[in-house]
Amino acid sequence: MAESPVLIVGGGLGGLTLSLCLAKIGISSKVFERRSQLSENGAGIQLSPNCLRVYDHLGMVSAITEIAHEPSHIEFREWRQNRILSKLDLSDFREKLGFPYFTVHRGQLIDLLLSRVLKSESIELHLDREVEHFSSDENGVQIQTGEDVIHGSLLVGADGIRSTIRSELFGLDDPTFTGHVAWRALIPIERLPQASKEIGSRVWWGPGKHLVTYPVQCGSVLNCVAVVENKAWAFESWHEPGELGELLKEFSGWNSDVLEIIQSISNNDLYKWGLFSRNTLKNWSKDRVVLLGDACHAPLPFMAQGAAMAIEDAACLSYCLADGLDYADSFSKFESLRKARTQKVLTMSARNGRVFHLSGLAAMLRNVALKFYEPRFNDFLYGYNVFSAVDGPGK
Ligand SMILES: Cc1cc2nc3c(=O)[nH]c(=O)nc-3n(C[C@H](O)[C@H](O)[C@H](O)COP(=O)(O)OP(=O)(O)OC[C@H]3O[C@@H](n4cnc5c(N)ncnc54)[C@H](O)[C@@H]3O)c2cc1C
């Protein structure tokens, strides 16, 4: 590989994980993040075995275990009568897949990654540095941030759904509002009424909306995400305050467990934002520049796999770059390994949204069908081993 560092735009889960995967194989990188600090406002994230495998490769699983909650199952319930429609057993994941299913606080996970990034001699992290432009030629890449021009061997756009790198690379195609508004809040367990304190990982499905709850911070805090169809709303930010009264109104008529949980949310800790999607790209790379994570495939969050895909991408790209191929062949191998899988997750996530939100007869038929269907973990999803996928059979 070229000696000058790989430039990574974006210090989210994808970009930070990539820098650590590259460091592990002796490739240095510089990460540019436009935010002045990485710690995030409260939100949870589910980490499935397929991405914990990557963190195992980075020696991080025991540190993640310290901040994680490990649910034994996920319950899918019906909105009005609170009936259990289906249960996904997670208790044998360690035994069957080698890794558990964790739910964690996103800020705590970022802090763990950050502490490793800061210790690494191969990684330079530059905060408060928005990358505005880049150029690429046969000798390398240059990015511009403020007055500075920085040179590197390759450029990775890990800059999320509104990726600047993607727009410069392939032209503008603005993200489209999907008609879903998400609300999120964290509730300290002691604030929940006694009956709801035992509440584990649950998803309630109802007409045009659903609610997801799971514990984080070793079970001391309940993460809540509500998704409501609302075609008229279109603003995206992690920090737009939500109004509790409005959320309660959205869920009026739902069962008492749901209402009690929502009533326990503090109005100061409620945020809402619109969910967006982008067109599928034919290519993810051009010359010395490649995209990763939400920048090239941002699924709706209805399978909890967006970050998992960005994390797998990071591992896959680092392995492709370590393979002794030239960068064009490495990028092409990376794309060929990742496109079908990430597209499948995009399609299934969108389909989940439709299934969760069914109403009337369609919902009744769905509920009956679930009686005859025992959900199992998806081998293709949770059992996936990104490292053997790169090595290929027999290698
Ligand atoms: C409600 C909700 C719940 C979710 N739950 C889960 C879950 O449980 N499990 C899961 O796997 N996924 C989940 N996801 C998806 C997940 O959050 C994303 O897929 C993931 O964060 C994508 O990571 P990324 O690194 O590609 O992008 P991002 O996390 O968006 O990071 C991009 C970074 O780039 C920075 N940046 C952007 N532009 C520039 C620039 N020009 N210069 C410098 N820096 C820049 C941004 O500030 C940001 O820090 C959820 C998503 C939502 C909306």
Side-chain angles (χ1 to χ4, degrees):
M1 275 300 305
E3 277 159 27
S4 54
V6 171
L7 307 183
I8 301 172
V9 181
L13 287 170
L16 292 181
T17 305
L18 176 66
S19 69
L20 291 168
C21 288
L22 290 176
K24 172 135 183 151
I25 52 171
I27 298 179
S28 63
S29 64
K30 294 185 179 182
V31 182
F32 296 85
E33 166 56 48
R34 73 170 161 212
R35 288 177 294 156
S36 55
Q37 52 175 22
L38 287 181
S39 56
E40 305 213 9
N41 270 18
I45 188 155
Q46 306 182 53
L47 295 178
S48 47
N50 49 313
C51 67
L52 282 171
R53 187 181 293 281
V54 175
Y55 288 132
D56 180 55
H57 167 74
L58 295 174
M60 289 181 60
V61 170
S62 61
I64 296 176
T65 308
E66 305 263 299
I67 58 162
H69 175 75
E70 187 175 347
S72 60
H73 62 271
I74 303 175
E75 282 174 9
F76 300 95
R77 289 176 172 251
E78 172 278 338
W79 67 289
R80 201 182 343 227
Q81 281 146 7
N82 205 9
R83 229 167 359 105
I84 297 180
L85 298 173
S86 171
K87 240 181 186 184
L88 176 63
D89 184 16
L90 310 171
S91 62
D92 54 0
F93 272 22
R94 277 176 194 271
E95 193 193 322
K96 287 196 173 138
L97 305 176
F99 298 98
Y101 194 101
F102 279 158
T103 54
V104 301
H105 188 288
R106 205 182 258 260
Q108 288 189 313
L109 178 63
I110 292 276
D111 286 347
L112 281 184
L113 291 165
L114 187 58
S115 67
R116 277 159 174 78
V117 163
L118 295 176
K119 273 190 211 137
S120 169
E121 286 179 2
S122 317
I123 307 171
E124 272 180 32
L125 174 64
H126 300 267
L127 296 177
D128 211 0
R129 301 296 291 271
E130 172 141 16
V131 175
E132 288 132 21
H133 300 292
F134 71 83
S135 60
S136 161
D137 58 34
E138 65 274 18
N139 300 315
V141 287
Q142 296 82 42
I143 56 170
Q144 190 177 345
T145 154
E147 302 285 288
D148 299 329
V149 174
I150 291 121
H151 300 266
S153 57
L154 302 170
L155 171 60
V156 182
D159 49 346
I161 189 166
R162 294 187 178 277
S163 167
T164 304
I165 305 303
R166 170 183 171 137
S167 299
E168 271 210 43
L169 207 53
F170 298 117
L172 271 178
D173 71 302
D174 282 339
T176 319
F177 179 52
T178 60
H180 295 92
V181 178
W183 301 67
R184 72 184 166 87
L186 289 175
I187 311 173
I189 291 288
E190 63 273 10
R191 273 235 302 277
L192 290 165
Q194 195 53 40
S196 304
K197 282 201 194 335
E198 300 305 314
I199 278 176
S201 289
R202 292 189 182 174
V203 186
W204 283 273
W205 297 343
K209 54 197 76 155
H210 70 274
L211 175 73
V212 181
T213 65
Y214 53 81
V216 293
Q217 291 182 247
C218 304
S220 61
V221 171
L222 191 71
N223 179 65
C224 304
V225 176
V227 176
V228 175
E229 288 177 24
N230 179 349
K231 303 265 183 280
W233 197 82
F235 188 77
E236 188 196 24
S237 152
W238 278 99
H239 304 294
E240 169 132 339
E243 197 22 73
L244 189 56
E246 192 188 334
L247 184 59
L248 274 169
K249 213 157 132 199
E250 291 283 8
F251 282 84
S252 78
W254 284 50
N255 68 76
S256 59
D257 273 5
V258 165
L259 294 178
E260 277 180 11
I261 292 169
I262 297 177
Q263 276 154 357
S264 306
I265 295 172
S266 150
N267 213 8
N268 303 327
D269 183 28
L270 180 61
Y271 297 91
K272 68 172 181 176
W273 73 106
L275 299 180
F276 285 72
S277 66
R278 282 189 97 161
N279 291 336
T280 302
L281 285 173
K282 195 157 162 253
N283 299 305
W284 295 353
S285 65
K286 196 168 159 190
D287 304 326
R288 290 176 172 268
V289 186
V290 66
L291 302 173
L292 160 161
D294 274 11
C296 48
H297 50 74
L300 282 164
F302 308 150
M303 270 174 104
Q305 282 293 311
M309 291 301 111
I311 293 162
E312 283 183 6
D313 278 358
C316 180
L317 181 58
S318 70
Y319 256 45
C320 290
L321 289 172
D323 226 5
L325 305 168
D326 81 0
Y327 68 85
D329 290 336
S330 297
F331 288 174
S332 133
K333 184 172 181 186
F334 168 66
E335 289 188 44
S336 70
L337 284 164
R338 298 299 300 157
K339 272 190 184 145
R341 177 165 173 78
T342 52
Q343 185 56 46
K344 190 166 176 180
V345 166
L346 245 76
T347 308
M348 287 177 72
S349 301
R351 193 202 59 193
N352 273 3
R354 291 192 293 276
V355 172
F356 293 1
H357 292 185
L358 288 175
S359 59
L361 181 61
M364 278 165 61
L365 292 173
R366 173 200 66 198
N367 298 351
V368 172
L370 281 169
K371 287 188 184 152
F372 303 100
Y373 165 78
E374 188 179 340
R376 293 198 45 242
F377 62 82
N378 286 308
D379 273 340
F380 104 86
L381 190 60
Y382 301 141
Y384 184 77
N385 182 335
V386 65
F387 301 107
S388 33
V390 183
D391 283 345
K395 194 167 157 192

